[in-house]
Amino acid sequence: MIKTDVLVIGAGPVGLFAVHQLGVIGLKAEVVDNLDKVGGQCIELYPDKPIYDIPALTVCTGKSLTENLLEQIKPFKTNIHLNERVEEVIKDKDNWKVTTNKKKVFLTPNIIIAGGVGSFEPRKFPLKEAERFENNGIYYSIKDKNYFKNKKVSIFGGGDSALDWAIELSKISEVTLVHRRDEFRGAEHTAQLARKFEKEGKLKIKTPFQINSIEGKKNIEAITVKTEDGKTEKIVTDCVLGFFGLIMKLGPIVEWGLNLEKKTIPVNTENFETNKKGIFAIGDICTYPGKLKLILSGFHEGALAARGCFKLARPNEKYRFEFSTTSKSIQEKLGVKKSD
Amino acid sequence: MPKITYIEHNGKSHQIEVANGLTVMEGAVQNNIPGIDADCGGSCACATCHSYVEEKWFDKLPKKESAEEDMLDMAFEPKKFSRLTCQITVTDDLDGLVVKMPSKQG
């Protein structure tokens, strides 16, 4: 069990800056994020798109913003638990007991939810029967490619994941790559390589087709695909892989007893606390009158939520407001000034 | 103001006046019309404002940029007349536009 002053859920820009604001007032934070890297939407959705409204930065990218924030919180040596999703939050006397999907347990008086629009999950096939075969013939990621050895595999998608896996698996399996249009959006050279493999008979490419039905009782036996004009074709297959990118789902947050308004969590604007004492929400996931979904607003929300956390983490101390320009205590925490 | 009709997957229709310059997505979100999520807020990065444009309107709209076509690969059940509504800016020419929402956004 990990004890901490604050558990921050979400390692996007707002969660990372909250760590900074907690650090400067002397609170220890642990961070959990479902993705395999920090940066949240900034990294997952638009790493290279320019951002023009971060104060004092004329322009930056999702990637550079994330890198700079990581640099800024470096002095606090914060543990960031990636590839983990918080599943359960239950009250344990004066603390919250928080359990992740990997059964890691945190005990903390404060939780700051900086979860954006929720956690990223793979987009799935639109067919109902696809649910029935999920993880038994239908997959949205590959853990061990050898599982597909000598099998008939149908891969759906037009991006890098679909192309890369089609090429890779074609070396050990019988692969059909299916995509809704003739153009692939993945890297040019990968798309060309796939076309080359097709010419050499190493893999089949079917465009412009989308999934239409899945056949099979216990296991998948075949699928049908169709064009816009209604032309259908049958593909005999053992496994179906879908690579349609990621989508954000609120996930287990809905089960923590928090008030919800559409897909957001109402908070007060004094310290961004939710209806539950010690649970705060900041960034895109929180809502209040006048809320703007801007990164800069999330920074402000994090600063105030951090002060809100102080009361519960240090019930016997009084929080004193200080400026980083002059505070010896803050500068020591940042490692820019040696303590006497 | 141009009138835009949004039809939910269950057939429920909403006719809304949307100011010029807003996107069709913003028109829906600002008026609490269900069926358009717009998770990314309109930066053509999530495909959750996906709609089917009525055929007669499809050719009247400004053409899709390649980024929108790429994003539509990830949309839930994309079809021939699929568009991302965050990429359609409302003008007087679009008065009467009808869009239908998919059964879900993902």
Side-chain angles (χ1 to χ4, degrees):
Chain A
M1 186 185 290
I2 302 170
K3 284 187 180 177
T4 184
D5 292 326
V6 184
L7 181 77
V8 178
I9 301 173
V14 171
L16 294 178
F17 192 67
V19 167
H20 180 272
Q21 288 298 294
L22 292 163
V24 297
I25 61 173
L27 298 188
K28 185 175 160 19
E30 300 271 334
V31 183
V32 176
D33 196 294
N34 195 30
L35 283 177
D36 59 358
K37 48 194 170 300
V38 297
Q41 280 191 54
C42 282
I43 286 296
E44 195 55 45
L45 296 184
Y46 49 90
D48 301 316
K49 277 192 185 169
I51 307 172
Y52 297 104
D53 56 0
I54 305 296
L57 288 177
T58 316
V59 60
C60 67
T61 61
K63 191 163 176 280
S64 71
L65 182 74
T66 304
E67 285 166 357
N68 285 336
L69 283 163
L70 271 181
E71 187 63 31
Q72 200 169 14
I73 62 168
K74 219 174 180 179
F76 308 117
K77 300 186 178 69
T78 308
N79 294 321
I80 302 180
H81 308 263
L82 296 172
N83 289 311
E84 281 194 61
R85 188 167 85 166
V86 172
E87 293 288 321
E88 194 182 67
V89 173
I90 47 174
K91 193 84 193 143
D92 186 59
K93 290 174 201 152
D94 290 337
N95 285 302
W96 292 103
K97 193 176 154 211
V98 179
T99 312
T100 70
N101 58 343
K102 293 192 178 158
K103 304 293 166 216
K104 207 177 271 171
V105 179
F106 297 88
L107 196 66
T108 176
N110 297 294
I111 299 169
I112 295 181
I113 304 172
V117 192
S119 57
F120 285 94
E121 290 172 22
R123 288 171 205 257
K124 302 188 173 173
F125 287 104
L127 301 176
K128 270 226 168 71
E129 56 261 45
E131 283 171 34
R132 184 157 69 89
F133 290 110
E134 197 169 325
N135 297 319
N136 174 35
I138 291 197
Y139 306 92
Y140 298 101
S141 64
I142 294 179
K143 288 195 184 90
D144 176 13
K145 68 174 179 186
N146 290 316
Y147 175 80
F148 300 97
K149 201 171 178 179
N150 299 326
K151 286 186 175 149
K152 295 186 183 73
V153 182
S154 302
I155 299 179
F156 286 76
D160 284 318
S161 301
L163 288 167
D164 288 345
W165 280 118
I167 289 166
E168 189 60 29
L169 288 183
S170 71
K171 295 166 189 164
I172 55 168
S173 344
E174 203 180 303
V175 174
T176 308
L177 176 61
V178 189
H179 184 40
R180 64 174 273 265
R181 57 188 171 122
D182 298 330
E183 299 81 31
F184 290 95
R185 67 175 189 283
E188 183 70 34
H189 66 273
T190 325
Q192 280 171 6
L193 189 61
R195 292 285 181 203
K196 184 170 166 274
F197 272 40
E198 184 194 17
K199 271 192 197 129
E200 293 167 0
K202 291 175 184 163
L203 95 107
K204 286 181 199 147
I205 298 181
K206 286 214 178 294
T207 58
F209 283 95
Q210 294 190 66
I211 198 151
N212 181 52
S213 71
I214 303 168
E215 293 167 15
K217 284 187 182 124
K218 214 172 162 194
N219 300 308
I220 294 177
E221 286 156 18
I223 53 170
T224 63
V225 293
K226 70 167 179 196
T227 64
E228 275 300 332
D229 308 324
K231 188 180 128 195
T232 63
E233 278 190 36
K234 186 171 177 167
I235 304 173
V236 175
T237 194
D238 304 311
C239 302
V240 184
L241 290 159
F243 295 107
F244 306 112
L246 300 171
I247 191 162
M248 291 167 281
K249 299 262 180 188
L250 211 45
I253 291 175
V254 297
E255 288 153 30
W256 301 344
L258 300 170
N259 289 341
L260 289 173
E261 214 176 284
K262 285 185 189 167
K263 288 172 163 182
T264 55
I265 305 169
V267 290
N268 71 58
T269 48
E270 193 187 325
N271 60 11
F272 297 88
E273 199 164 25
T274 65
N275 60 312
K276 297 274 180 193
K277 193 179 168 196
I279 302 186
F280 303 79
I282 60 175
D284 284 0
I285 203 159
C286 78
T287 188
Y288 50 86
K291 166 68 185 172
L292 288 178
K293 286 193 179 187
L294 289 177
I295 293 171
L296 75 94
S297 305
F299 289 163
H300 161 80
E301 292 154 12
L304 268 66
R307 273 72 184 179
C309 293
F310 192 89
K311 274 183 198 159
L312 293 173
R314 302 276 184 275
N316 303 321
E317 291 174 38
K318 193 169 163 26
Y319 165 71
R320 201 162 62 83
F321 175 77
E322 293 177 308
F323 289 111
S324 68
T325 42
T326 45
S327 161
K328 208 176 112 189
S329 146
I330 291 180
Q331 291 174 2
E332 275 169 11
K333 291 183 183 92
L334 291 169
V336 291
K337 184 170 184 136
K338 293 234 160 57
S339 52
D340 299 325
Chain B
M1 267 197 269
K3 287 194 178 74
I4 310 286
T5 302
Y6 301 85
I7 303 175
E8 289 180 56
H9 188 70
N10 62 16
K12 197 172 170 195
S13 174
H14 310 257
Q15 196 184 58
I16 306 283
E17 289 194 340
V18 182
N20 282 339
L22 289 179
T23 63
V24 173
M25 177 277 281
E26 287 168 320
V29 170
Q30 292 179 6
N31 291 287
N32 296 316
I33 293 174
I36 291 191
D37 292 350
D39 284 347
C40 78
S43 58
C44 195
C46 73
T48 63
C49 65
H50 169 216
S51 286
Y52 309 116
V53 174
E54 211 174 50
E55 184 172 355
K56 64 172 184 180
W57 279 100
F58 192 77
D59 292 331
K60 294 183 192 164
L61 297 176
K63 295 274 166 292
K64 281 176 267 191
E65 304 267 348
S66 67
E68 183 183 345
E69 193 64 76
D70 284 354
M71 221 41 242
L72 278 168
D73 282 351
M74 302 188 201
F76 191 83
E77 288 195 293
K79 293 179 187 167
K80 201 169 177 181
F81 302 114
S82 285
R83 289 294 307 255
L84 295 182
T85 51
C86 73
Q87 300 301 302
I88 308 171
T89 304
V90 174
T91 60
D92 286 335
D93 293 343
L94 265 52
D95 187 25
L97 174 71
V98 180
V99 297
K100 288 182 180 170
M101 273 82 90
S103 59
K104 55 178 185 168
Q105 291 288 357

